[in-house]
Amino acid sequence: MTNSSQGYIIQAFGDIHYKELALACACSIRLNDPERKICLLADNLEDLPPYFQQVFSDIHAFSPSQPYDGSFSRKFILDKESPYDRTIHVDADCLLVKKGINVFWERFTGLPACFPSQKKVTGTHWNGAISVDSLIAKGLVDSIYLLNGGVFYFESSKSEANHFFETVRSFYLSFLEDPGTGLSYYARPGQVSDEPIFGAAISKHPECSIPFDYLNLLQLTSPNTSSWNVDYVNSTFTARKGGLHNTTGQFIHFCEMTPLTHYLEGIIYYRSFFSLPSLIASIGKNKEFKFPLTADTLEQERSKLDKLTVESARSLRLSPA
Protein backbone atom coordinates (compact mmCIF):
# COMPACT_ATOMS: atom_id res chain seq x y z
CA MET A 1 0.00 0.00 0.00
CA THR A 2 1.36 3.42 -0.89
CA ASN A 3 1.73 6.25 1.56
CA SER A 4 -1.21 7.99 -0.11
CA SER A 5 -3.52 5.47 1.63
CA GLN A 6 -1.82 5.98 4.99
CA GLY A 7 -2.37 8.85 7.34
CA TYR A 8 -2.93 10.20 10.81
CA ILE A 9 -6.17 11.30 12.46
CA ILE A 10 -6.32 13.92 15.20
CA GLN A 11 -9.62 14.81 16.89
CA ALA A 12 -10.41 18.22 18.38
CA PHE A 13 -13.78 19.26 19.77
CA GLY A 14 -15.15 22.30 21.52
CA ASP A 15 -13.05 25.40 22.10
CA ILE A 16 -10.73 26.63 19.33
CA HIS A 17 -7.79 26.14 21.72
CA TYR A 18 -8.15 22.37 21.45
CA LYS A 19 -7.99 22.66 17.67
CA GLU A 20 -4.87 24.79 17.99
CA LEU A 21 -3.27 22.05 20.11
CA ALA A 22 -4.22 19.54 17.42
CA LEU A 23 -2.51 21.81 14.90
CA ALA A 24 0.71 21.75 16.93
CA CYS A 25 0.51 17.96 16.96
CA ALA A 26 0.01 17.98 13.19
CA CYS A 27 3.01 20.28 12.74
CA SER A 28 5.21 17.78 14.57
CA ILE A 29 3.95 14.99 12.30
CA ARG A 30 4.36 17.08 9.15
CA LEU A 31 7.99 17.77 10.07
CA ASN A 32 8.98 14.25 11.14
CA ASP A 33 6.84 12.18 8.73
CA PRO A 34 6.27 14.52 5.77
CA GLU A 35 5.07 11.92 3.25
CA ARG A 36 1.90 10.82 5.03
CA LYS A 37 -1.38 12.69 5.23
CA ILE A 38 -2.98 14.18 8.32
CA CYS A 39 -6.71 14.53 8.93
CA LEU A 40 -8.41 16.76 11.49
CA LEU A 41 -11.80 15.61 12.77
CA ALA A 42 -13.60 18.50 14.44
CA ASP A 43 -17.13 19.42 15.44
CA ASN A 44 -17.07 23.00 14.20
CA LEU A 45 -15.03 24.07 11.19
CA GLU A 46 -16.30 27.64 11.05
CA ASP A 47 -13.84 28.90 13.67
CA LEU A 48 -10.75 27.41 12.02
CA PRO A 49 -8.15 29.98 10.93
CA PRO A 50 -7.02 29.62 7.29
CA TYR A 51 -3.52 28.50 8.29
CA PHE A 52 -4.92 25.08 9.31
CA GLN A 53 -4.98 24.28 5.59
CA GLN A 54 -1.19 24.69 5.50
CA VAL A 55 -0.66 21.67 7.72
CA PHE A 56 -3.67 19.36 7.51
CA SER A 57 -4.19 17.34 4.32
CA ASP A 58 -7.87 16.79 5.14
CA ILE A 59 -10.28 18.57 7.48
CA HIS A 60 -13.61 16.85 8.14
CA ALA A 61 -16.62 17.81 10.22
CA PHE A 62 -17.33 15.05 12.73
CA SER A 63 -20.32 15.23 15.08
CA PRO A 64 -21.30 11.65 15.92
CA SER A 65 -24.65 10.93 17.51
CA GLN A 66 -25.26 9.03 20.72
CA PRO A 67 -23.86 6.82 22.05
CA TYR A 68 -20.64 7.70 20.21
CA ASP A 69 -20.61 11.40 20.98
CA GLY A 70 -18.38 11.25 24.07
CA SER A 71 -14.76 12.34 24.33
CA PHE A 72 -13.62 8.72 24.46
CA SER A 73 -16.40 6.85 22.67
CA ARG A 74 -15.77 8.77 19.45
CA LYS A 75 -12.70 6.57 19.05
CA PHE A 76 -14.94 3.49 18.76
CA ILE A 77 -16.17 4.48 15.30
CA LEU A 78 -12.96 5.84 13.77
CA ASP A 79 -12.70 2.83 11.47
CA LYS A 80 -15.78 4.21 9.70
CA GLU A 81 -14.58 7.80 9.60
CA SER A 82 -10.95 7.73 8.49
CA PRO A 83 -10.33 8.88 4.91
CA TYR A 84 -7.31 6.56 4.77
CA ASP A 85 -7.02 2.80 4.37
CA ARG A 86 -4.48 2.64 7.18
CA THR A 87 -4.51 5.15 10.02
CA ILE A 88 -2.69 6.05 13.20
CA HIS A 89 -4.92 7.90 15.65
CA VAL A 90 -3.12 10.53 17.73
CA ASP A 91 -4.49 12.47 20.70
CA ALA A 92 -4.14 16.23 20.30
CA ASP A 93 -1.77 16.50 23.29
CA CYS A 94 0.88 14.36 21.60
CA LEU A 95 3.94 15.40 19.60
CA LEU A 96 5.86 13.26 17.10
CA VAL A 97 9.42 13.99 18.15
CA LYS A 98 11.44 11.40 16.20
CA LYS A 99 11.71 10.33 12.57
CA GLY A 100 11.57 6.54 12.95
CA ILE A 101 7.82 5.99 12.67
CA ASN A 102 8.17 3.91 9.46
CA VAL A 103 9.19 0.93 11.58
CA PHE A 104 5.74 0.91 13.17
CA TRP A 105 3.85 1.40 9.91
CA GLU A 106 5.66 -1.65 8.54
CA ARG A 107 4.97 -3.67 11.68
CA PHE A 108 1.25 -2.87 11.61
CA THR A 109 0.76 -4.09 8.03
CA GLY A 110 -2.15 -6.53 7.74
CA LEU A 111 -3.52 -5.97 11.25
CA PRO A 112 -7.07 -4.66 11.81
CA ALA A 113 -5.75 -2.57 14.71
CA CYS A 114 -2.72 -2.49 16.99
CA PHE A 115 -1.94 -1.16 20.46
CA PRO A 116 1.28 -1.43 22.45
CA SER A 117 -0.14 -3.22 25.47
CA GLN A 118 0.47 -5.69 28.30
CA LYS A 119 -1.65 -8.77 28.96
CA LYS A 120 -3.09 -9.21 32.46
CA VAL A 121 -4.95 -12.29 33.70
CA THR A 122 -5.54 -11.18 37.28
CA GLY A 123 -5.63 -8.11 39.51
CA THR A 124 -7.31 -4.71 39.46
CA HIS A 125 -6.20 -2.02 37.06
CA TRP A 126 -6.98 1.53 35.94
CA ASN A 127 -6.66 2.68 39.55
CA GLY A 128 -8.79 -0.18 40.79
CA ALA A 129 -11.71 0.49 38.44
CA ILE A 130 -11.37 -2.76 36.49
CA SER A 131 -11.19 -6.23 38.05
CA VAL A 132 -9.73 -8.77 35.62
CA ASP A 133 -10.72 -11.64 37.92
CA SER A 134 -14.35 -10.49 37.91
CA LEU A 135 -14.47 -10.17 34.12
CA ILE A 136 -12.99 -13.64 33.70
CA ALA A 137 -15.41 -15.12 36.28
CA LYS A 138 -18.33 -13.65 34.29
CA GLY A 139 -17.00 -15.29 31.14
CA LEU A 140 -16.63 -11.97 29.34
CA VAL A 141 -12.88 -12.24 28.62
CA ASP A 142 -9.91 -14.44 29.44
CA SER A 143 -7.62 -11.46 30.03
CA ILE A 144 -7.33 -7.68 29.76
CA TYR A 145 -4.62 -5.73 27.98
CA LEU A 146 -3.30 -2.60 29.67
CA LEU A 147 -2.75 0.26 27.26
CA ASN A 148 -2.94 3.98 26.71
CA GLY A 149 -5.46 5.04 24.07
CA GLY A 150 -3.58 8.14 22.93
CA VAL A 151 -1.80 6.63 19.92
CA PHE A 152 -2.93 3.47 18.13
CA TYR A 153 -3.22 1.98 14.65
CA PHE A 154 -6.28 0.74 12.76
CA GLU A 155 -7.54 -0.14 9.30
CA SER A 156 -10.60 1.35 7.63
CA SER A 157 -13.83 -0.67 7.53
CA LYS A 158 -15.24 1.15 4.50
CA SER A 159 -14.32 -1.64 2.09
CA GLU A 160 -14.12 -4.58 4.51
CA ALA A 161 -15.48 -5.05 8.02
CA ASN A 162 -13.01 -4.40 10.82
CA HIS A 163 -13.81 -7.23 13.23
CA PHE A 164 -11.72 -5.71 16.00
CA PHE A 165 -13.85 -2.55 16.04
CA GLU A 166 -17.00 -4.62 15.86
CA THR A 167 -15.88 -6.29 19.09
CA VAL A 168 -15.05 -2.88 20.58
CA ARG A 169 -18.54 -1.59 19.84
CA SER A 170 -20.15 -4.75 21.17
CA PHE A 171 -18.32 -4.45 24.51
CA TYR A 172 -19.11 -0.73 24.72
CA LEU A 173 -22.83 -1.22 24.12
CA SER A 174 -22.88 -4.06 26.64
CA PHE A 175 -21.40 -1.77 29.26
CA LEU A 176 -23.90 0.99 28.50
CA GLU A 177 -26.75 -1.48 28.86
CA ASP A 178 -25.36 -2.88 32.10
CA PRO A 179 -22.46 -1.04 33.81
CA GLY A 180 -22.39 -3.96 36.22
CA THR A 181 -20.48 -5.94 33.62
CA GLY A 182 -17.42 -4.03 34.80
CA LEU A 183 -16.06 -3.75 31.26
CA SER A 184 -15.22 -0.08 31.75
CA TYR A 185 -15.87 2.84 34.07
CA TYR A 186 -16.92 6.46 33.87
CA ALA A 187 -13.69 8.45 33.63
CA ARG A 188 -15.72 11.68 33.69
CA PRO A 189 -19.44 12.30 34.22
CA GLY A 190 -21.17 10.61 31.32
CA GLN A 191 -17.87 9.66 29.68
CA VAL A 192 -17.01 5.95 29.43
CA SER A 193 -13.28 5.27 29.41
CA ASP A 194 -12.05 3.88 26.11
CA GLU A 195 -8.98 2.04 27.36
CA PRO A 196 -10.63 -0.89 29.23
CA ILE A 197 -12.97 -1.41 26.26
CA PHE A 198 -10.03 -1.58 23.86
CA GLY A 199 -8.16 -3.78 26.35
CA ALA A 200 -11.06 -6.23 26.54
CA ALA A 201 -11.41 -6.32 22.75
CA ILE A 202 -7.74 -7.20 22.36
CA SER A 203 -8.36 -10.30 24.50
CA LYS A 204 -10.56 -11.50 21.61
CA HIS A 205 -8.02 -10.34 19.01
CA PRO A 206 -4.59 -10.85 20.61
CA GLU A 207 -2.86 -10.21 17.28
CA CYS A 208 -3.77 -6.55 17.87
CA SER A 209 -1.25 -6.25 20.71
CA ILE A 210 2.47 -5.62 20.52
CA PRO A 211 4.69 -5.56 23.63
CA PHE A 212 6.18 -2.38 25.01
CA ASP A 213 9.70 -1.90 23.66
CA TYR A 214 11.24 0.73 25.91
CA LEU A 215 14.06 1.29 23.43
CA ASN A 216 11.53 2.38 20.80
CA LEU A 217 8.04 3.08 22.11
CA LEU A 218 5.26 4.12 19.78
CA GLN A 219 4.30 6.64 22.47
CA LEU A 220 5.90 7.58 25.74
CA THR A 221 3.27 8.75 28.21
CA SER A 222 4.44 11.51 30.51
CA PRO A 223 3.15 10.28 33.92
CA ASN A 224 5.78 8.61 36.08
CA THR A 225 8.51 9.71 33.68
CA SER A 226 11.66 11.56 34.67
CA SER A 227 15.15 12.54 33.43
CA TRP A 228 13.75 14.22 30.33
CA ASN A 229 16.18 15.11 27.55
CA VAL A 230 14.21 16.45 24.59
CA ASP A 231 15.81 18.03 21.50
CA TYR A 232 13.08 19.06 19.07
CA VAL A 233 15.49 20.50 16.51
CA ASN A 234 17.47 17.27 16.13
CA SER A 235 14.40 15.03 16.59
CA THR A 236 15.68 13.11 19.60
CA PHE A 237 14.58 12.46 23.14
CA THR A 238 15.35 10.17 26.04
CA ALA A 239 13.72 9.76 29.43
CA ARG A 240 13.38 7.32 32.30
CA LYS A 241 10.05 5.54 32.75
CA GLY A 242 8.91 4.43 36.17
CA GLY A 243 12.41 4.77 37.57
CA LEU A 244 13.22 1.46 35.86
CA HIS A 245 13.52 1.89 32.10
CA ASN A 246 15.77 4.17 30.10
CA THR A 247 13.53 4.84 27.15
CA THR A 248 12.89 6.65 23.90
CA GLY A 249 10.27 6.38 21.20
CA GLN A 250 8.36 8.26 18.51
CA PHE A 251 5.49 10.22 20.10
CA ILE A 252 5.50 11.88 23.47
CA HIS A 253 2.01 11.92 24.96
CA PHE A 254 1.89 14.91 27.29
CA CYS A 255 -0.96 13.62 29.46
CA GLU A 256 -2.66 16.53 31.25
CA MET A 257 -0.09 18.65 29.37
CA THR A 258 2.77 17.65 31.66
CA PRO A 259 5.64 18.29 31.95
CA LEU A 260 4.39 21.71 30.94
CA THR A 261 7.75 23.24 30.06
CA HIS A 262 8.68 20.51 27.59
CA TYR A 263 5.21 20.54 26.07
CA LEU A 264 5.18 24.29 25.54
CA GLU A 265 8.68 24.19 24.09
CA GLY A 266 7.46 21.63 21.56
CA ILE A 267 4.40 23.69 20.66
CA ILE A 268 6.59 26.75 20.20
CA TYR A 269 9.13 24.95 18.08
CA TYR A 270 6.79 23.12 15.71
CA ARG A 271 4.42 26.04 15.20
CA SER A 272 7.26 28.47 14.62
CA PHE A 273 8.88 26.04 12.18
CA PHE A 274 5.80 26.45 9.96
CA SER A 275 5.58 30.20 10.66
CA LEU A 276 2.26 29.86 12.47
CA PRO A 277 0.99 32.39 15.03
CA SER A 278 1.88 31.99 18.67
CA LEU A 279 -0.53 29.94 20.74
CA ILE A 280 1.00 30.24 24.17
CA ALA A 281 -0.76 33.32 25.54
CA SER A 282 -4.20 32.24 24.41
CA ILE A 283 -3.76 28.77 25.93
CA GLY A 284 -2.59 30.18 29.23
CA LYS A 285 -5.66 32.34 29.61
CA ASN A 286 -8.04 29.47 28.96
CA LYS A 287 -9.09 28.43 32.46
CA GLU A 288 -9.93 24.89 31.36
CA PHE A 289 -6.25 24.14 30.86
CA LYS A 290 -5.28 25.39 34.35
CA PHE A 291 -1.73 26.17 33.29
CA PRO A 292 0.42 27.10 36.31
CA LEU A 293 1.71 30.22 34.55
CA THR A 294 0.75 33.82 35.19
CA ALA A 295 -0.79 35.92 32.45
CA ASP A 296 2.16 38.32 32.68
CA THR A 297 4.65 35.50 32.16
CA LEU A 298 2.73 34.25 29.16
CA GLU A 299 2.60 37.71 27.59
CA GLN A 300 6.35 38.05 28.08
CA GLU A 301 6.99 34.70 26.43
CA ARG A 302 4.67 35.57 23.58
CA SER A 303 6.67 38.73 22.88
CA LYS A 304 9.86 36.66 22.93
CA LEU A 305 8.38 34.21 20.46
CA ASP A 306 7.71 36.98 17.95
CA LYS A 307 11.49 37.52 17.74
CA LEU A 308 12.47 33.87 18.02
CA THR A 309 14.28 31.98 15.27
CA VAL A 310 13.32 28.37 14.63
CA GLU A 311 16.79 27.16 15.61
CA SER A 312 16.57 28.74 19.03
CA ALA A 313 12.94 27.95 19.77
CA ARG A 314 13.76 24.89 21.83
CA SER A 315 15.95 26.94 24.17
CA LEU A 316 12.97 28.94 25.45
CA ARG A 317 12.23 28.28 29.11
CA LEU A 318 9.01 29.17 30.90
CA SER A 319 8.98 29.82 34.64
CA PRO A 320 6.18 28.38 36.82
CA ALA A 321 4.08 30.93 38.66
Side-chain angles (χ1 to χ4, degrees):
M1 227 172 253
T2 64
N3 284 0
S4 63
S5 63
Q6 302 175 9
Y8 300 86
I9 272 186
I10 307 170
Q11 300 185 73
F13 292 81
D15 194 280
I16 183 61
H17 300 288
Y18 292 102
K19 300 178 179 73
E20 293 281 8
L21 294 181
L23 182 65
C25 175
C27 287
S28 73
I29 295 172
R30 179 66 64 216
L31 181 60
N32 289 309
D33 188 11
E35 295 185 6
R36 292 185 174 90
K37 295 184 177 182
I38 312 170
C39 176
L40 174 68
L41 294 182
D43 54 345
N44 181 10
L45 305 184
E46 295 179 359
D47 61 350
L48 291 183
Y51 52 77
F52 273 64
Q53 301 287 348
Q54 294 176 226
V55 180
F56 285 101
S57 315
D58 302 281
I59 298 177
H60 292 175
F62 182 46
S63 298
S65 57
Q66 293 183 343
Y68 298 105
D69 57 340
S71 299
F72 304 113
S73 60
R74 286 190 287 261
K75 295 180 182 180
F76 299 154
I77 55 173
L78 287 177
D79 61 309
K80 299 180 178 182
E81 299 297 328
S82 176
Y84 315 124
D85 295 331
R86 303 177 61 204
T87 305
I88 288 180
H89 166 273
V90 187
D91 276 358
D93 55 352
C94 297
L95 297 173
L96 180 60
V97 180
K98 298 185 72 175
K99 297 182 182 292
I101 195 70
N102 276 339
V103 171
F104 287 95
W105 281 103
E106 292 170 2
R107 187 169 187 179
F108 296 152
T109 301
L111 296 175
C114 199
F115 296 74
S117 51
Q118 184 179 18
K119 182 178 181 179
K120 295 292 183 180
V121 296
T122 189
T124 57
H125 304 283
W126 284 281
N127 295 319
I130 303 297
S131 168
V132 181
D133 302 270
S134 176
L135 292 174
I136 292 175
K138 294 173 183 176
L140 296 171
V141 297
D142 61 10
S143 60
I144 283 285
Y145 285 74
L146 300 187
L147 56 90
N148 180 282
V151 183
F152 60 88
Y153 168 83
F154 64 93
E155 290 190 346
S156 170
S157 65
K158 290 181 178 179
S159 60
E160 182 178 345
N162 188 317
H163 298 299
F164 173 80
F165 272 86
E166 290 178 350
T167 302
V168 166
R169 289 188 281 270
S170 175
F171 277 141
Y172 174 56
L173 295 175
S174 294
F175 176 79
L176 290 181
E177 183 178 344
D178 179 12
T181 59
L183 283 164
S184 189
Y185 63 97
Y186 285 92
R188 302 170 188 163
Q191 303 287 334
V192 176
S193 177
D194 57 310
E195 293 174 354
I197 298 291
F198 281 133
I202 295 174
S203 73
K204 304 295 186 180
H205 304 268
E207 71 278 7
C208 294
S209 171
I210 60 172
F212 295 109
D213 177 1
Y214 287 97
L215 297 179
N216 189 19
L217 294 169
L218 176 61
Q219 67 165 332
L220 172 66
T221 54
S222 60
N224 201 25
T225 302
S226 60
S227 302
W228 292 90
N229 183 6
V230 185
D231 184 339
Y232 293 111
V233 173
N234 293 305
S235 300
T236 64
F237 80 88
T238 58
R240 190 163 180 81
K241 186 68 175 177
L244 300 174
H245 304 282
N246 293 320
T247 186
T248 187
Q250 301 303 314
F251 286 94
I252 299 178
H253 187 175
F254 292 93
C255 304
E256 303 297 327
M257 301 184 188
T258 60
L260 181 62
T261 298
H262 287 300
Y263 184 48
L264 292 183
E265 287 172 0
I267 290 175
I268 290 168
Y269 176 69
Y270 293 121
R271 291 178 65 97
S272 60
F273 187 93
F274 289 96
S275 302
L276 300 180
S278 169
L279 173 64
I280 305 307
S282 59
I283 291 179
K285 292 178 180 178
N286 184 329
K287 294 181 181 180
E288 282 192 87
F289 289 118
K290 301 179 181 178
F291 276 11
L293 299 171
T294 65
D296 288 342
T297 299
L298 288 163
E299 291 293 354
Q300 293 169 10
E301 298 304 337
R302 185 179 187 182
S303 66
K304 291 179 186 178
L305 183 58
D306 291 338
K307 304 173 183 177
L308 205 61
T309 63
V310 170
E311 290 74 17
S312 63
R314 68 186 175 93
S315 66
L316 187 62
R317 292 292 184 268
L318 299 178
S319 302

